[in-house]
Amino acid sequence: KIMKEAQLILGGGCFWCLDAVYREVPGVLECTSGYAGGARPNPNYEQICTGATGHAEVVKLRFDAEQISLERLLEIFFTIHDPTTLNRQGADTGTQYRSVVFCGDAEQRAAVTAFIADLTQARVFDDAIVTEISDAVPFFDAEEYHQDYFRRNPGQGYCRMVVSPKVAKYRKLFGPGA
């Protein structure tokens, strides 16, 4: 079987949450936490936390499009974060926590646009979806300690209170037997 490798960059609040979920998704070959959408080259965590660089906390997914569709990845994305809150997810506020999809090409942009239009038409959310749809931009890997953060720090407070419930929601709705 020939693998059809593709890439998608998603921002939906703290990257620890997205990273923890997408590492469990069959067909996702690699999940890297990082920064995208800002003006400064090679930003670090402290810089993006100020909001001054304009970067969002994101995950870059490499996936096998023969094993998992872009639509399924988006379905998971729109289930595990709130796409109706501008520049915030829960208590995390600032542009670095914005809901955003960085599209690799026109075909991906069209698919993301259509997916959001379908969610809007179906009135899946009470409020308007504010997810930004952006063209591809430079992606910068986050520091090593941010990679696979949830698995390496399960007892950390934020992981217990914020990340763990999102992972549980993913498993309930999309896991084996769901």
Side-chain angles (χ1 to χ4, degrees):
K1 180 181 165 200
I2 298 172
M3 180 172 37
K4 182 181 172 198
E5 193 173 306
Q7 181 175 292
L8 182 64
I9 297 176
L10 300 169
C14 178
F15 47 28
W16 297 342
C17 294
L18 296 179
D19 177 87
V21 167
Y22 282 107
R23 285 179 181 272
E24 294 195 4
V25 176
V28 172
L29 307 170
E30 184 177 33
C31 181
T32 307
S33 291
Y35 315 114
R40 178 187 207 124
N42 299 307
N44 64 40
Y45 186 65
E46 289 70 30
Q47 292 165 342
I48 75 111
C49 280
T50 68
T53 70
H55 290 87
E57 289 191 19
V58 297
V59 291
K60 178 172 67 175
L61 306 177
R62 270 192 333 106
F63 64 98
D64 178 355
E66 295 293 322
Q67 194 175 350
I68 187 163
S69 67
L70 173 65
E71 288 72 21
R72 185 60 148 182
L73 293 171
L74 292 172
E75 187 180 349
I76 293 166
F77 177 64
F78 284 99
T79 299
I80 61 170
H81 90 290
D82 182 350
T84 68
T85 53
L86 188 63
N87 299 328
R88 82 174 303 135
Q89 284 297 304
D92 295 331
T93 60
T95 56
Q96 66 270 32
Y97 301 116
R98 68 189 179 270
S99 177
V100 58
V101 180
F102 293 100
C103 302
D105 56 31
E107 184 181 339
Q108 203 173 64
R109 178 183 270 276
V112 172
T113 301
F115 192 89
I116 291 174
D118 289 348
L119 291 177
T120 300
Q121 184 177 1
R123 294 189 170 92
V124 171
F125 299 98
D126 292 335
D127 297 314
I129 294 172
V130 297
T131 303
E132 176 187 325
I133 303 171
S134 179
D135 290 330
V137 294
F139 172 88
F140 302 98
D141 287 10
E143 295 78 358
E144 181 56 36
Y145 73 92
H146 288 298
Q147 307 302 331
D148 204 7
Y149 190 87
F150 178 65
R151 185 187 58 77
R152 296 190 307 179
N153 301 279
Q156 194 259 9
Y158 188 92
C159 287
R160 286 197 332 269
M161 300 299 293
V162 180
V163 183
S164 187
K166 290 185 181 205
V167 171
K169 183 177 186 180
Y170 162 75
R171 289 175 181 162
K172 179 180 178 193
L173 297 174
F174 298 97

